[in-house]
Amino acid sequence: MTTVESATASASGAAATDRFQADKSPFAAVKDVPKDRVDTLAREVLSAVHATIRKHQVTYDEYNALKAWLIQVGADGEWPLFLDVFVEHAVEEVATAHRKGNKGTIEGPYYVPGAPERGAEGSTLEREESGTPLVWEGVIRSTDGTPLAGGKVDVWQDDDAGFYSQFSEGQPEWNLRGVFTVGDDGKFRIHTIKPQPYQIPHDGATGALIEAAGWHAWRPAHIHVKVSAPGHELLTAQLYFPGDDHNDDDIAQAVKPELMLDPQEQPDGSILVRYDITLDPAS
């Protein structure tokens, strides 16, 4: 059964920051960006900040509160959390606008590379779980309909209590995570549980902003996925469930109609979903 777990903002924030620094090679991807582009982007962001200050007559007390909050976001290790929740969806929209295959959405802060290989069919469960059993069947194809042999489906999700392994206590390291590699037919079959809605960690600086603004911290239930195949663009997405209370007001603004599943309840009470993935050839 699922055990009682903890996932404070400070612990989750520190884990997300450490993971980003280890996996994303900070600054490496942009070290050769021309100075004029850096100049343009920096100036326009600062100009937007200046315009907001002037429009709303921001006071020194409000300015100093902002400085204190920015310092606390860093102290709590929450920059990956804050940026992934409030900014990444716009970056993803721009970066993938050209694609003809499946729609994607944000990665979020809880991805961990190196999950165990589980074959073309397997389970992500590494302990007994209390959630509703779910089977996801699908095929990886190219935009011309050809099945993509050797394609990989890298999945991760929360448990029935709303927590991710490696970002909370009490779960096996790779629980509810796995990589599924397809054969010549492109088919995969993943055994897991239905994920749960959850609140992003909100007892730290990000939560202070949410409370001060009168927002909520909820994300709808979703399964994360990265799908790859030789010669094709990587797809990062989240798959959602109809009827969730927070599909329409997701704090991360990451829900898209194309990512909605059509779960079918089975006679034994489990859920079957069929959702294929179409990847764009690499340009």
Side-chain angles (χ1 to χ4, degrees):
M1 300 293 290
T2 301
T3 58
V4 176
E5 302 155 356
S6 64
T8 64
S10 60
S12 294
T17 296
D18 290 345
R19 178 59 59 188
F20 176 83
Q21 291 175 329
D23 299 335
K24 295 294 193 302
S25 300
F27 309 118
V30 296
K31 63 182 179 181
D32 296 324
V33 173
K35 286 183 172 57
D36 61 349
R37 180 165 175 80
V38 176
D39 174 69
T40 296
L41 296 177
R43 284 181 183 276
E44 290 196 11
V45 169
L46 291 171
S47 293
V49 173
H50 301 161
T52 300
I53 291 170
R54 294 185 177 107
K55 177 179 179 180
H56 297 283
Q57 296 291 286
V58 172
T59 67
Y60 257 106
D61 285 344
E62 291 169 331
Y63 172 64
N64 287 329
L66 171 65
K67 285 202 293 187
W69 179 78
L70 291 170
I71 291 168
Q72 193 60 49
V73 173
D76 290 345
E78 289 192 33
W79 279 118
L81 173 67
F82 175 81
L83 293 169
D84 289 351
V85 169
F86 294 108
V87 178
E88 187 187 355
H89 68 276
V91 179
E92 188 277 331
E93 179 182 342
V94 170
T96 63
H98 65 283
R99 292 187 177 177
K100 306 300 183 185
N102 278 64
K103 292 289 187 181
T105 193
I106 66 173
E107 177 181 311
Y110 299 134
Y111 173 66
V112 181
E117 171 63 46
R118 303 194 188 277
E121 179 174 0
S123 173
T124 65
L125 277 61
E126 296 200 343
R127 67 176 182 184
E128 184 180 354
E129 294 287 349
S130 59
T132 302
L134 181 149
V135 176
W136 171 19
E137 297 180 342
V139 180
I140 307 176
R141 297 186 177 92
S142 185
T143 50
D144 65 1
T146 304
L148 293 175
K152 294 182 180 295
V153 183
D154 190 346
V155 299
W156 69 104
Q157 67 173 83
D158 64 344
D159 66 3
D160 198 45
F163 297 122
Y164 288 82
S165 63
Q166 304 192 38
F167 293 87
S168 63
E169 298 176 358
Q171 291 195 60
E173 181 179 16
W174 295 106
N175 192 45
L176 297 169
R177 300 176 183 268
V179 176
F180 297 79
T181 303
V182 304
D184 292 343
D185 59 5
K187 293 182 179 179
F188 59 90
R189 198 166 195 262
I190 299 171
H191 298 259
T192 182
I193 59 170
K194 183 180 179 182
Q196 292 298 311
Y198 62 87
Q199 296 187 80
I200 65 170
H202 58 283
D203 58 318
T206 301
L209 172 63
I210 290 171
E211 181 178 1
W215 303 338
H216 70 73
W218 284 95
R219 296 226 56 221
H222 56 275
I223 298 174
H224 294 265
V225 61
K226 284 180 175 288
V227 186
S228 59
H232 287 73
E233 294 188 21
L234 172 69
L235 174 74
T236 300
Q238 298 175 17
L239 305 179
Y240 301 92
F241 295 80
D244 192 289
D245 289 342
H246 297 290
N247 282 337
D248 294 330
D249 64 357
D250 173 22
I251 186 63
Q253 301 180 60
V255 179
K256 299 178 183 179
E258 299 90 346
L259 301 175
M260 201 64 60
L261 296 170
D262 181 22
Q264 303 295 317
E265 185 172 349
Q266 303 300 293
D268 63 357
S270 66
I271 296 171
L272 176 66
V273 297
R274 294 186 173 89
Y275 189 88
D276 295 342
I277 302 292
T278 300
L279 298 181
D280 285 70
S283 57

